[in-house]
Amino acid sequence: MAQLQKSIDKRTALLKATLSLVNNGGIQSASMAKVAKIANVSPATIYLFFESKQDLVNQLYLDVKGSFAEAAFSQYESDDEVKKSFEKIWIAMAAFKLENKEEASFLSQCDNTPMIDEETRQEGLKYLTPLFDLWSKGIKEGIVKDISPYLLYAFSIYPMAFLMNMDNRALCPLGENVINEAFQVAWDSIRV
Amino acid sequence: MAQLQKSIDKRTALLKATLSLVNNGGIQSASMAKVAKIANVSPATIYLFFESKQDLVNQLYLDVKGSFAEAAFSQYESDDEVKKSFEKIWIAMAAFKLENKEEASFLSQCDNTPMIDEETRQEGLKYLTPLFDLWSKGIKEGIVKDISPYLLYAFSIYPMAFLMNMDNRALCPLGENVINEAFQVAWDSIRV
DNA sequence: CAAAAAAGAATGAACGTTCATTTATTTTAA
DNA sequence: TTAAAATAAATGAACGTTCATTCTTTTTTG
């Protein structure tokens, strides 16, 4: 039982080490040797938990995407209006990204590089189903533009990645007011 | 003279080889040996043109960003209305990305990974000055939202990267109608 | 024929991964 | 309950490759 916990801790430490290394120098700087050293473990031990470096990165992706989605939809209540629901989700996503900068930056690296398997990527997309359903509902009600969900995502959610990037580089600090402005822009882009 | 041309050709071949490799497997799969082989050149020859791999990637970034900007602003005429100018630029950007998929995908990898020097990144940003100036003008005229240019960029330009990514993966093919829908969304997001 | 350009071979370092052992824990037997 | 046996967990060293870069030699050119 304590043994199981120790295993979980070790896996967590390995994922955390990988996250940090990828963020600070890209996938190329996250070598198995460095990951092991940071997690205080032998390189060989990594292979007790992950079958390859690719598997390690894939699992990290699903892990992070999972906790992102959990945060995003934690406040979701199905009897809210569509706009209110969207606002709750959007703000929760922004909050997660601001509070978990490493996770956020890792996810945007994953979205734009070949570092994640296409299969794993698809798996990660499923986490966002509630949002797609909400948009469907909004379209039926005539308050969301009747266009592809990819367009809706591209213009209302994806921009967060850019803003977080600018925030990290201190080029556009994201205070509460900017976040609210940004939400307004997001909503204006998809509302009919 | 023919000598100079041969040098230029070789440099171009090296940049092109790097572009292709980075796109097909990320920066980690663009080794100097592979780049040399594809460009039909010895590894050592690369160092006659670029002082390091980092320099090679930086120069490629500026090169590609430069031709992107050139395409983006080629139709720009300063006596158009703000909305018309924005539309011309937006459509030209989209066209460039659709016609030069490798270049487009490379640029979005660069924007979200630490593979480019911060200094070089800043340099690349300068290419977009005409767009920032246009937004300034639009804000003064009261037809563009009076918010940070980073927000304007995030919601009206940055989404293209996502759409191109979806197009490349055949998840959301970008025909002319989708492009026009997308422009409408972009404009709705930033117009007052 | 001299000088510049390019080539290929060679460099040590670092890569992902595996291996033979050692260390720690659990089970068995007395 | 304890000592021995068996199993599981974890290790550091080492594998063959590949890395970015440099060095020496050959080829090309004016």
Side-chain angles (χ1 to χ4, degrees):
Chain A
M1 197 51 77
Q3 195 64 341
L4 175 63
Q5 190 53 49
K6 256 174 62 180
S7 264
I8 293 175
D9 289 349
K10 221 165 267 187
R11 200 189 98 104
T12 305
L14 285 166
L15 291 174
K16 200 175 163 187
T18 307
L19 179 65
S20 158
L21 282 166
V22 170
N23 263 299
N24 282 49
I27 184 78
Q28 56 172 342
S29 85
S31 72
M32 298 303 253
K34 285 193 212 158
V35 168
K37 176 165 267 182
I38 293 183
N40 273 308
V41 133
S42 155
T45 303
I46 302 181
Y47 291 85
L48 302 176
F49 297 87
F50 308 98
E51 63 180 31
S52 65
K53 181 179 180 178
Q54 183 64 63
D55 183 43
L56 167 62
V57 175
N58 284 341
Q59 289 200 38
L60 175 58
Y61 175 74
L62 289 178
D63 229 67
V64 173
K65 196 98 176 181
S67 50
F68 171 67
E70 196 188 320
F73 301 121
S74 64
Q75 323 245 12
Y76 180 80
E77 294 169 42
S78 53
D79 50 352
D80 279 331
E81 292 176 35
V82 168
K83 180 181 173 181
K84 190 66 200 171
S85 284
F86 177 69
E87 182 172 1
K88 278 184 177 177
I89 293 168
W90 197 97
I91 295 288
M93 284 180 166
F96 177 90
K97 284 172 187 280
L98 283 170
E99 287 158 21
N100 305 84
K101 301 197 176 186
E102 291 214 309
E103 281 80 357
S105 146
F106 174 75
L107 286 180
S108 48
Q109 273 197 66
C110 291
D111 285 337
N112 294 277
T113 67
M115 73 190 247
I116 303 291
D117 288 343
E118 183 62 25
E119 190 194 344
T120 305
R121 225 182 271 276
Q122 296 285 359
E123 192 70 20
L125 239 186
K126 290 188 195 154
Y127 287 119
L128 298 179
T129 308
L131 180 59
F132 294 137
D133 292 345
L134 180 66
W135 279 334
S136 251
K137 188 177 157 200
I139 291 173
K140 279 199 198 90
E141 293 180 9
I143 58 182
V144 169
K145 287 187 176 120
D146 189 5
I147 56 181
S148 156
Y150 291 110
L151 283 183
L152 297 175
Y153 187 90
F155 285 93
S156 70
I157 305 295
Y158 189 67
M160 284 189 207
F162 181 83
L163 294 179
M164 297 301 150
N165 195 349
M166 293 303 116
D167 180 76
N168 285 340
R169 287 155 65 197
L171 294 174
C172 179
L174 296 178
E176 201 179 335
N177 49 336
V178 179
I179 289 293
N180 289 329
E181 278 177 355
F183 168 73
Q184 202 47 244
V185 179
W187 176 246
D188 283 346
S189 72
I190 68 168
R191 75 149 215 267
V192 53
Chain B
M1 197 53 74
Q3 194 63 344
L4 175 62
Q5 190 54 48
K6 255 174 60 178
S7 264
I8 293 175
D9 290 348
K10 219 164 271 190
R11 200 189 98 103
T12 304
L14 285 167
L15 291 175
K16 198 175 164 187
T18 308
L19 179 65
S20 158
L21 282 167
V22 170
N23 264 300
N24 282 44
I27 183 81
Q28 56 172 341
S29 85
S31 70
M32 298 303 254
K34 286 193 209 157
V35 168
K37 176 164 266 180
I38 292 183
N40 274 309
V41 133
S42 154
T45 303
I46 301 181
Y47 291 86
L48 301 176
F49 297 88
F50 308 96
E51 62 181 31
S52 66
K53 181 178 181 181
Q54 184 64 62
D55 183 44
L56 167 62
V57 175
N58 285 159
Q59 288 200 39
L60 175 58
Y61 175 74
L62 289 178
D63 229 68
V64 173
K65 195 98 178 182
S67 50
F68 170 67
E70 196 187 322
F73 301 120
S74 64
Q75 322 244 14
Y76 180 80
E77 294 169 43
S78 53
D79 49 354
D80 279 331
E81 293 176 36
V82 168
K83 180 182 175 179
K84 190 67 200 169
S85 285
F86 178 68
E87 181 171 3
K88 277 185 177 177
I89 293 168
W90 197 96
I91 295 288
M93 284 180 167
F96 176 91
K97 283 172 187 281
L98 282 170
E99 287 158 22
N100 306 84
K101 300 197 178 192
E102 291 214 309
E103 281 79 356
S105 146
F106 174 75
L107 285 181
S108 46
Q109 273 198 65
C110 290
D111 285 336
N112 293 277
T113 67
M115 73 191 247
I116 303 290
D117 287 343
E118 183 61 26
E119 189 192 344
T120 306
R121 223 182 272 276
Q122 296 285 359
E123 192 70 19
L125 239 185
K126 290 189 195 151
Y127 287 119
L128 298 178
T129 307
L131 180 59
F132 294 137
D133 291 345
L134 180 66
W135 280 335
S136 251
K137 188 175 156 202
I139 291 172
K140 278 200 199 88
E141 293 180 8
I143 60 182
V144 168
K145 288 190 177 113
D146 187 6
I147 55 181
S148 155
Y150 292 110
L151 282 182
L152 297 175
Y153 187 89
F155 284 92
S156 70
I157 306 296
Y158 189 67
M160 284 188 206
F162 182 83
L163 294 177
M164 297 304 150
N165 195 350
M166 294 302 116
D167 181 77
N168 285 340
R169 287 157 64 198
L171 294 175
C172 180
L174 296 178
E176 200 180 336
N177 49 336
V178 178
I179 289 293
N180 289 329
E181 278 178 355
F183 168 72
Q184 201 46 244
V185 179
W187 175 247
D188 282 347
S189 73
I190 68 169
R191 75 151 213 267
V192 54

